[in-house]
């Protein structure tokens, strides 16, 4: 997912490799100007507002925005008696964020023992995503984590034949699926409802959230739990898959033009960091607001 997460080029599980005769370090960090205005909201107050954010891509992590100290409201940061060690960037000082009577502990950090190659982060702080009320780019709220500019989704129409079975039952048979290509992931195939035996689908209570697609519902098929999913209300950028259904090929049998699909190694999304498992009530409040 993006540059350094899932199977991206800087991820530890990357499916590609750099064409160089020199061995690369086992971990590569990448920092770049965000070139977008980013703001942070806490306790009904804008506590950070900057057009000079540095975005840090770290293997196995979502990107994190680092704000210049001068673009953060004064007197809101209280240094804690807590210094941890970052494996690449040295000593890290933690801060409590305090506005009026409200405070959040361990809510911001600054690398204070930076090596020379990390000097671009000198004097900058990052905010813990879940500790803050909201992050914005301009006037639009960003959910889940900082947007990765290298994360891309392409959706293509195809006439290939996709057939889904569970046991002896044909659950779906379509010659008009959509294929969704997402950075760091193998292709996912989405089927129109008219080509699905919907009586086979049982909606389950589980819901998850994708920062790039929206809120996701899941279905079981007989004894195959969470074998399919759908985005009933997707973001405008990916509305072509709205309410279509995709099937997990390691749970039910999926054939594409007669070839059985398999879940590719490294494709399972593992919760990682405080920005995963976003409270869906928070998502609903954002949508309604």
């Amino acid at each position: 997912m993006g540059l350094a997460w899932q199977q991206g080029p800087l991820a530890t599980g990357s499916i590609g490799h750099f064409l160089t005769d020199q061995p690369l370090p086992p971990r590569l960090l990448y920092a770049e100007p965000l070139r977008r205005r980013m703001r942070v909201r806490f306790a009904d107050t804008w506590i950070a507002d900057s057009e000079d954010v540095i975005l840090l891509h770290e293997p196995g992590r979502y990107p994190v925005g680092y704000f210049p100290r001068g673009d953060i409201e004064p007197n809101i940061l209280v240094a804690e008696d807590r210094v941890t060690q970052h494996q690449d960037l040295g000593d890290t000082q933690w801060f409590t964020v305090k506005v009026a009577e409200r405070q959040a502990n361990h809510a911001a950090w600054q690398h204070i023992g930076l090596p020379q190659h990390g000097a671009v982060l000198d004097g900058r702080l990052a905010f813990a995503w879940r500790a803050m009320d909201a992050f914005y780019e301009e006037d639009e709220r960003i959910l889940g984590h900082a947007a990765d500019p290298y994360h891309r989704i392409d959706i293509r129409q195809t006439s290939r034949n996709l057939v889904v079975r569970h046991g002896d039952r044909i659950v779906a048979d379509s010659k008009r699926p959509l294929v969704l290509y997402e950075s760091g992931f193998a292709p996912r195939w989405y089927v129109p409802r008219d080509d699905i035996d919907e009586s086979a689908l049982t909606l389950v209570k589980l819901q998850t959230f994708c920062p790039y697609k929206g809120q996701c519902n899941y279905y079981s098929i007989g004894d195959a739990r969470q074998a399919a999913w759908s985005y009933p209300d997707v973001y405008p950028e990916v509305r072509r898959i709205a309410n279509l259904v995709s099937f997990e090929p390691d749970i039910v049998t999926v054939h594409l033009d007669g070839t059985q699909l398999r879940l590719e190694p490294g494709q399972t999304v593992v919760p990682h960091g405080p920005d995963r498992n976003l409270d869906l009530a928070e998502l609903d409040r954002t949508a309604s607001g």
Side-chain angles (χ1 to χ4, degrees), residues 155-175:
I155 300 171
R156 299 289 182 261
Q157 182 70 59
T158 180
S159 58
R160 300 171 74 178
N161 187 201
L162 190 83
V163 179
V164 180
R165 291 184 174 87
H166 182 52
D168 296 330
R169 185 175 190 175
I170 296 179
V171 178
D173 188 344
S174 180
K175 292 184 178 179

Side-chain angles (χ1 to χ4, degrees), residues 29 31 56 85-92 110-123:
L29 277 63
L56 177 66
Q85 186 72 23
H86 188 282
Q87 61 180 310
D88 304 291
L89 301 174
D91 289 345
T92 302
Q110 179 181 8
H111 302 298
I112 58 174
L114 286 165
Q116 184 175 359
H117 61 265
V120 68
L121 299 178
D122 189 29

Side-chain angles (χ1 to χ4, degrees), residues 1 18 34 90 107 117 122 130 154 166 222 272 278:
M1 182 179 289
F18 292 96
L34 179 60
H117 61 265
D122 189 29
R130 287 302 300 267
D154 293 304
H166 182 52
H272 187 91
L278 182 72

Side-chain angles (χ1 to χ4, degrees), residues 2 16 24 27 47 82-83 107 119-120 133 144 174 189 200 204 206 208 225-226 241-242 249 270 275:
L24 295 175
R27 285 173 50 87
I47 63 170
R82 184 184 191 220
V83 176
V120 68
D133 292 340
S174 180
W189 303 83
V204 299
L206 175 67
T208 60
R225 300 180 60 189
Q226 300 167 26
I241 64 163
V270 179
D275 49 358

